[in-house]
Amino acid sequence: MSDPARPATTPAPRSRARMLELVFPKDTNYLGTAFGGFVLSLMDKAASVAAVRHAGGAVVTARMDGVDFHVPIRVGDAVALDARVVRVGRSSMTIQVDVYREHMASGEQQLATTGFFVFVAVDEEGAPRPVPPLAPGEVDPDPDGRP
C-alpha cells in the first residue's frame, strides 16, 4: 500500500555517487592491507557512477590523476567512497573521489585515499558528446578541481 504523502521514487544525485564496500582477505596483501589496485578499482567504479549520472549516458575513463594514499585500509574495514563531479569541459568531467576507512563497530571514519578521474561522455559510436554544465552551487572554486 502506498503512502500518498511519500513519493514513489526519489531522484538520485546527478553529479555525485557514494558507495560502501567491505575489505576481505582476498583484497589485501601479506600485511593485511588493501591492495592499491583494489582501491583504485573501487574509485573508478564510484567515479563512473557520478560521471554517468551527470552526463546522462555512457562514459569512458580517460585518466586517473593525482591519487594519494594517506593511511592503510585493513581487513575488516569498510571502504566508504564519495565521488563528485568537480569540473566539466565540453565532453569531459573531472571527478574527485575521497575514500574513507571506516571502523565497522564504531563508525569512525578516516580519509585514506583521494584522487581525480577524468571521464569522457560518448555516443553510440564511441565519439565524444557534450555534457551539461555543473548546477549552480556544485562548481568547485578551483578551476583545476583540486582542493
Side-chain angles (χ1 to χ4, degrees):
M1 186 172 208
S2 67
D3 179 356
R6 188 173 175 183
T9 61
T10 302
R14 299 317 309 156
S15 302
R16 191 169 205 146
R18 292 184 176 167
M19 292 176 34
L20 188 67
E21 184 83 22
L22 296 176
V23 179
F24 293 100
K26 68 176 182 57
D27 306 317
T28 64
N29 61 26
Y30 63 93
L31 296 173
T33 61
F35 285 119
F38 168 71
V39 176
L40 286 173
S41 173
L42 294 176
M43 293 173 78
D44 193 31
K45 286 178 188 178
S48 70
V49 171
V52 166
R53 284 176 166 177
H54 182 83
V59 300
V60 294
T61 306
R63 179 178 175 164
M64 293 182 191
D65 187 26
V67 176
D68 296 311
F69 295 92
H70 307 292
V71 296
I73 300 170
R74 303 194 183 286
V75 170
D77 286 340
V79 180
L81 298 101
D82 183 16
R84 64 186 176 96
V85 178
V86 294
R87 184 174 180 225
V88 174
R90 191 187 76 73
S91 61
S92 66
M93 296 152 283
T94 300
I95 294 89
Q96 179 178 340
V97 182
D98 294 324
V99 179
Y100 296 89
R101 165 177 87 177
E102 180 177 319
H103 184 266
M104 294 290 288
S106 70
E108 180 182 329
Q109 290 187 342
Q110 182 178 16
L111 183 64
T113 307
T114 56
F116 293 87
F117 292 70
V118 176
F119 282 78
V120 174
V122 293
D123 62 19
E124 297 78 25
E125 287 79 42
R129 64 175 179 82
V131 295
L134 282 172
E138 291 183 340
V139 178
D140 194 300
D142 182 352
D144 290 329
R146 286 164 175 73

